[in-house]
Amino acid sequence: MSQLVAAADDEDPLRALAATAQLQRETARVEAVAVRRARARGASWAQIATALGVSRQAVHRKYGGSRFTRG
């Protein structure tokens, strides 16, 4: 990820944009993995929402599918 962050600061705006888009995809993937792990370890939607700085409803809407539930 650190390489992507560096590339997002590239002087060539098209390379910077491509790196930024890839960084967003990677960040979303890492977030989804962390949410699954948190749920598997018993974290509530409210706790996850607080960690992400969003409402419980927003995090549940985004990740509330069965693959993110405990069990």
Side-chain angles (χ1 to χ4, degrees):
M1 251 206 243
S2 59
Q3 290 177 334
L4 289 174
V5 171
D9 197 30
D10 195 294
E11 288 188 26
D12 180 312
L14 295 178
R15 283 195 299 254
L17 287 169
T20 300
Q22 189 174 353
L23 186 58
Q24 288 174 332
R25 287 188 297 273
E26 182 63 12
T27 301
R29 185 192 68 75
V30 169
E31 181 178 290
V33 168
V35 168
R36 278 195 302 273
R37 290 177 63 204
R39 289 295 293 163
R41 292 182 183 181
S44 69
W45 290 116
Q47 290 171 313
I48 294 168
T50 297
L52 292 173
V54 298
S55 71
R56 183 187 60 78
Q57 292 83 1
V59 78
H60 192 265
R61 199 169 28 249
K62 185 173 183 179
Y63 295 110
S66 61
R67 69 178 209 232
F68 290 98
T69 58
R70 284 181 280 211

